[in-house]
Amino acid sequence: MAKHSSGRRNFALSTPLTLALIAAVAIVAVVLWLLTRPDSPDSEAEAGSAPCIAGDLEVPVGGEDTVVAPAVAEFNAQSHVTRDFCVTATAAAAGDPAATYLFSGTKQEAAAELAKTSRVASGSQESWPQAGTEAAGVASTDGTASLDAIRFDDSSASAAVALALAGGDEQAAAEAIATGPANAQAFATRESAVIPEGYTFAPIDGAQLPVWAIATNAGGTITEDQARAGADFVSALPEATRVADLAQITSVMERVADRSTDVPAAAGPADTLILMDTSANMEEVVGGSEQSYHTVVSTITSGLAREVGARGFQVALNNYSSPLNPGVTRGWRANVSFPDDSAGENAAGAVLRFGTGGVPLTRSATVAAAQIASERAAASGQPVNLVVVSSGSVGDYADDAFLADLTAAAGDRVRVNVVHVGNGEPDAVLSDWATGHGGSVATASTEDELNTRLRAAFGV
């Protein structure tokens, strides 16, 4: 028989359709749970804390503390991830390699500082971004900040300070640097520089130096991951801090170079007698350095002795201060004498073994050295360079007697090239005699100046 209708609608679903609907609802529920659970990758990304799948990575940043510390703190205040590493920047200890460096000044000065680390930049100088500024100012014992009472050098810090004190007048700034007092106790420097004990650094309004961020290649103890993170450190530096303009500072430095008052270099390399001041004055710390004049000058001179010797010339060495031992009556000593066929090696080694003490009896030591140099010139038939490193001159050697004795001792084949170092007063009588007899005179108060002036005195 046929099935009769009951008169009511039938809304029941078939069993297969019901199962399919239940499965779809379950799938949607699982997806929603995965997206919203607390430890899901997507929710972490939304919270700004990406997972450190590869672990933690420390990236050392090199440079002076006053420059590095704020940059490291700013970087670490955010969460940075490089190649699945959670990155933390740390200030590298002095002398330790770093993945990134922060140096202030011109890019050329920054490159010179980088070269001292033996690390290699991963990009050209043109690609180095500016990462903030560093204050330049005056270091003094009494708060001196007058343009005509400050000792300047050829650095960007000096240019920035002179420019600020001159009210932005580039010519006046260059004039002050070129003609300023070479032995003033107050000197221009930067905030990160090491200054002598008893000195205080005071920033000068408007005197700012740019800080350059330099990422380096992997190598040594710096891994590929650290090098990549170091590049990310540079990229993360905020644009807002990149404000310093070097145009005027560079212009002042160029003006100073154009009107340099230094006497020209020695005529060229020749047989050379080095007269090294080893008085207690040489323990003074070199401006912008942690090393003494004695250490820096000895190191540079050692290399120059080898360089002159490698060119076929002989190198002798005297040192002087004042008599330190009982029974000693003269303040100078011959350490390496002519003739010497070691190609400068004997002098290069001996100059590194000196101690310091006493006071600089420069005049009597110079007369004795001039006599030795003159005897060598007579024996070789060629001129001799006498390089005098002096921190000043004390003693009771009268001017007239000194000039007469020096003229007689040197003859006409000895070129006396004087490099005055430190804060002592130069011997003006010696300086005038040297420049008036074919020699040269220069002053140096930074490592760069010492290297430049000594090379010129050696004629190389």
Side-chain angles (χ1 to χ4, degrees):
M1 289 180 61
K3 190 171 181 180
H4 294 281
S5 168
S6 68
R8 289 193 261 178
R9 296 174 183 254
N10 184 0
F11 292 97
L13 296 174
S14 67
T15 297
L17 185 58
T18 298
L19 293 174
L21 181 59
I22 291 171
V25 171
I27 291 172
V28 171
V30 170
V31 170
L32 289 174
W33 178 78
L34 288 172
L35 291 175
T36 58
R37 66 192 179 100
D39 59 346
S40 74
D42 291 85
S43 65
E44 283 187 353
E46 290 175 4
S49 56
C52 304
I53 298 173
D56 295 324
L57 181 68
E58 285 194 353
V59 176
V61 180
E64 297 295 341
D65 287 344
T66 54
V67 175
V68 172
V72 166
E74 188 167 4
F75 179 85
N76 289 337
Q78 309 168 37
S79 296
H80 289 278
V81 177
T82 298
R83 296 286 184 94
D84 295 326
F85 283 101
C86 280
V87 178
T88 300
T90 60
D96 288 350
T100 294
Y101 290 88
L102 301 178
F103 295 123
S104 65
T106 64
K107 285 188 175 180
Q108 290 73 26
E109 288 172 324
E113 290 300 313
L114 180 65
K116 295 177 183 178
T117 71
S118 299
R119 303 283 295 140
V120 178
S122 60
S124 65
Q125 288 187 22
E126 291 72 20
S127 70
W128 297 350
Q130 188 181 321
T133 59
E134 181 185 13
V138 177
S140 70
T141 58
D142 58 6
T144 298
S146 174
L147 185 60
D148 60 358
I150 297 172
R151 172 161 44 94
F152 295 102
D153 57 25
D154 57 5
S155 69
S156 59
S158 281
V161 170
L163 189 62
L165 292 175
D169 186 328
E170 295 178 11
Q171 185 58 40
E175 186 88 11
I177 293 173
T179 62
N183 298 290
Q185 63 88 17
F187 60 93
T189 186
R190 65 194 71 206
E191 185 178 10
S192 62
V194 177
I195 60 177
E197 185 177 354
Y199 279 66
T200 301
F201 173 81
I204 299 297
D205 288 343
Q208 295 286 327
L209 298 173
V211 174
W212 306 106
I214 311 171
T216 64
N217 293 325
T221 60
I222 302 300
T223 67
E224 291 284 355
D225 289 321
Q226 287 177 311
R228 279 192 291 266
D232 287 348
F233 176 92
V234 171
S235 300
L237 294 169
E239 285 287 343
T241 64
R242 303 178 186 180
V243 295
D245 182 6
L246 266 182
Q248 279 195 293
I249 293 175
T250 302
S251 177
V252 171
M253 295 173 73
E254 291 173 348
R255 288 171 185 259
V256 172
D258 289 342
R259 57 156 299 160
S260 174
T261 57
D262 279 340
V263 177
D271 285 349
T272 300
L273 172 56
I274 305 165
L275 179 59
M276 180 68 67
D277 185 337
T278 53
S279 69
N281 291 353
M282 296 296 288
E283 286 304 319
E284 179 186 342
V285 175
V286 176
S289 168
E290 296 182 354
Q291 301 185 89
S292 68
Y293 280 100
H294 175 67
T295 298
V296 175
V297 170
S298 297
T299 301
I300 295 172
T301 302
S302 178
L304 290 172
R306 288 191 174 93
E307 190 169 339
V308 170
R311 298 190 185 191
F313 299 103
Q314 296 194 12
V315 182
L317 173 66
N318 285 14
N319 77 296
Y320 73 97
S321 59
S322 56
L324 299 177
N325 298 316
V328 178
T329 58
R330 69 185 189 189
W332 62 272
R333 177 182 179 183
N335 305 101
V336 178
S337 301
F338 293 121
D340 182 86
D341 296 322
S342 69
E345 288 295 329
N346 288 337
V351 77
L352 298 175
R353 295 192 291 269
F354 291 142
T356 57
V359 298
L361 300 181
T362 304
R363 289 188 173 185
S364 58
T366 301
V367 170
Q371 181 64 47
I372 294 171
S374 180
E375 290 171 0
R376 173 59 188 171
S380 67
Q382 299 296 323
V384 173
N385 284 338
L386 171 55
V387 177
V388 180
V389 176
S390 171
S391 65
S393 183
V394 300
D396 56 1
Y397 207 143
D399 292 351
D400 290 345
F402 171 58
L403 288 173
D405 292 346
L406 181 57
T407 301
D412 57 3
R413 288 187 174 181
V414 176
R415 298 188 296 247
V416 178
N417 303 311
V418 182
V419 179
H420 179 82
V421 304
N423 290 319
E425 189 71 25
D427 189 323
V429 175
L430 171 60
S431 297
D432 290 344
W433 187 94
T435 56
H437 290 76
S440 66
V441 176
T443 60
S445 58
T446 68
E447 288 190 43
D448 287 342
E449 287 181 354
L450 287 166
N451 186 59
T452 300
R453 308 304 196 255
L454 284 167
R455 290 191 68 84
F458 276 76
V460 295

